[in-house]
Amino acid sequence: MARTESTMLPLGTIAPDFYLKDTNSNNTFSFEDLKGSKGTLVMFICNHCPFVHHVIKEVVMIANDYRVQGIGVIAISSNDVIKYPEDSPELMADFAMENKIDFPYLYDETQEIAKAYQAACTPDFYLFDNQDRLFYRGQLDDSRPGNGIPLSGSDLRGAIDALIYNRNLKEPQKPSLGCGIKWK
């Protein structure tokens, strides 16, 4: 299990736009189509990564808790499906169904979007404000597979709360840690 950290895109960066196919609905969406009125959470995940498997239930709970508060939620998979067929779009739809992911799970076939976001690992989280500026990037919480720390989503939940309620954000922001993006 390779351990790769987030690259920590500079805060204030404007959200790179995209036009990607959603494996849940077969529709194609842009960032503008999916952003929330108060902010937007973009995450890079994949089907096979043990770090994603470790956090996916908490990620779905966060999505369910905050979408009703005006946060758009978007998941993107950018892995090379030739070398990693378990991350294919067809299996992304199955993974979404199995894990009750009812927000868009987009397929970045060219990997251009992962590069635009400087995504490095799965999971990798980016929270943008209502002006599409990067407000938070980094980890869900300190829990990792096998480290014994309970999953809480505390870092990401704290960032979303700070965004929604106009509070100061906890510093420093810690990078996420997970499997490296599987580049072509």
Side-chain angles (χ1 to χ4, degrees):
M1 182 164 52
R3 300 167 73 87
T4 302
E5 284 191 350
S6 299
T7 59
M8 305 299 276
L9 188 66
L11 294 175
T13 298
I14 298 297
D17 202 6
F18 52 74
Y19 196 64
L20 298 172
K21 185 175 181 182
D22 175 25
T23 59
N24 286 337
S25 69
N26 285 322
N27 294 323
T28 304
F29 294 107
S30 67
F31 180 88
E32 188 70 26
D33 293 333
L34 300 174
K35 72 182 195 175
S37 61
K38 293 190 179 170
T40 307
L41 174 62
V42 176
M43 67 189 94
F44 287 83
I45 65 171
C46 70
N47 300 344
H48 84 276
C49 173
F51 289 89
V52 172
H53 285 257
H54 179 71
V55 302
I56 195 65
K57 286 183 182 163
E58 180 63 24
V59 166
V60 170
M61 284 194 297
I62 287 171
N64 292 338
D65 290 346
Y66 288 104
R67 284 184 301 171
V68 297
Q69 296 184 55
I71 299 295
V73 178
I74 304 161
I76 301 173
S77 178
S78 300
N79 280 354
D80 176 3
V81 300
I82 302 300
K83 293 179 189 159
Y84 295 86
E86 60 270 42
D87 290 330
S88 71
E90 299 78 24
L91 295 178
M92 288 170 63
D94 294 343
F95 181 81
M97 183 176 288
E98 290 165 14
N99 291 285
K100 299 179 174 71
I101 296 172
D102 63 352
F103 46 88
Y105 188 13
L106 309 176
Y107 178 46
D108 177 21
E109 182 176 10
T110 66
Q111 300 183 320
E112 289 175 18
I113 305 311
K115 290 174 184 170
Y117 279 78
Q118 296 179 20
C121 60
T122 57
D124 214 348
F125 300 96
Y126 301 81
L127 179 63
F128 295 90
D129 66 16
N130 63 1
Q131 301 297 308
D132 305 337
R133 290 184 309 258
L134 187 61
F135 182 77
Y136 174 84
R137 74 288 192 241
Q139 70 175 8
L140 182 74
D141 60 28
D142 289 325
S143 182
R144 305 287 187 266
N147 76 356
I149 298 173
L151 207 55
S152 68
S154 59
D155 289 51
L156 185 57
R157 285 180 180 276
I160 296 170
D161 286 340
L163 179 64
I164 290 172
Y165 300 111
N166 200 26
R167 297 183 193 146
N168 289 331
L169 193 54
K170 177 181 137 184
E171 292 290 340
Q173 296 179 12
K174 297 179 186 175
S176 189
L177 180 70
C179 298
I181 300 267
K182 308 307 184 219
W183 301 107
K184 293 180 180 182

